[in-house]
Amino acid sequence: MHFNPYGGRAAELAVALVNAAAVDTAAVLAEYGAYGSDLTERQAAELRDWARRLSAVFEDAPLPHRVDLVNALLADSASRPYVSCHDGRAPHLHYADEQAGTVARVKAFTAAGLAVALCEDPGRLGRCERPGCAVVFVDTSRNGRRRFCSTRCANRWHVAGHRRRAAGDRPSGVRGAGPPRPPRST
Ligand SMILES: [Zn+2]
Ligand SMILES: [Zn+2]
């Protein structure tokens, strides 16, 4: 549970939960290790509700509002940070008692992850700009200008832009400084 840039794995888990909320929360947790994948239906429902709250932090909303959302997440997650050196590892932060249940630990971890990410650079928590795609991400790119969840969405958005222009949105011969052509895929 290391906090590499922008909330590290904790923020990544928040992203994965938001993106998987409707699909399979248990599978996401299994992938992140440290959590059992045997969620009861009630626990899964609780985490889906939680994921909806995490999701709101990725909206392009005024910063004070996003800060309030994260503070509410921290308050409601009963986060109780402490330093652990278990298994001979270097000192690192844990956010909930190891004896706490899966839901409590996931809540504490993801709330802390988004809090760290928001404090480092709120612009790094983003949502795909392609209309119809709601996937969220932590932008860990060097320049921090990521706009899409995937190359696939970026390409589709650019192709749609070309179609709009080709359909005659503009007088012929006038070329706007639109987005570059998508790379030709194989
Ligand atoms: Zn640990
Ligand atoms: Zn997308």
Side-chain angles (χ1 to χ4, degrees), residues 57 64 109 113 136:
V57 179
F109 191 46
V136 301

Side-chain angles (χ1 to χ4, degrees), residues 4-156:
N4 291 325
Y6 316 122
R9 272 175 70 77
E12 280 171 21
L13 177 57
V15 163
L17 282 175
V18 170
N19 291 338
V23 189
D24 192 348
T25 304
V28 166
L29 292 188
E31 198 174 306
Y32 272 76
Y35 305 106
S37 57
D38 49 343
L39 292 177
T40 65
E41 186 43 48
R42 188 186 162 151
Q43 287 176 311
E46 207 175 333
L47 284 176
R48 281 195 295 272
D49 287 344
W50 185 252
R52 272 191 282 278
R53 292 181 59 186
L54 297 175
S55 177
V57 179
F58 292 81
E59 298 302 337
D60 186 17
L63 188 56
H65 175 65
R66 297 171 76 201
V67 168
D68 286 347
L69 290 176
V70 168
N71 279 334
L73 289 171
L74 288 170
D76 293 344
S77 69
S79 180
R80 197 177 64 80
Y82 65 97
V83 178
S84 176
C85 303
H86 65 88
D87 301 318
R89 290 179 47 187
H92 59 286
L93 278 167
H94 278 215
Y95 288 88
D97 197 303
E98 287 304 297
Q99 308 311 317
T102 296
V103 169
R105 287 162 58 212
V106 169
K107 284 183 174 181
F109 191 46
T110 51
L114 292 192
V116 169
L118 196 74
C119 291
E120 285 185 330
D121 184 349
R124 296 278 179 166
L125 297 176
R127 189 180 295 276
C128 183
E129 286 184 22
R130 184 179 70 78
C133 180
V135 168
V136 301
F137 52 79
V138 180
D139 181 357
T140 56
S141 67
R142 191 179 293 258
N143 64 14
R145 293 200 190 139
R146 183 170 166 188
R147 296 172 57 198
F148 301 98
C149 70
S150 60
T151 309
R152 184 180 149 83
C153 269
N155 285 345
R156 287 176 66 181

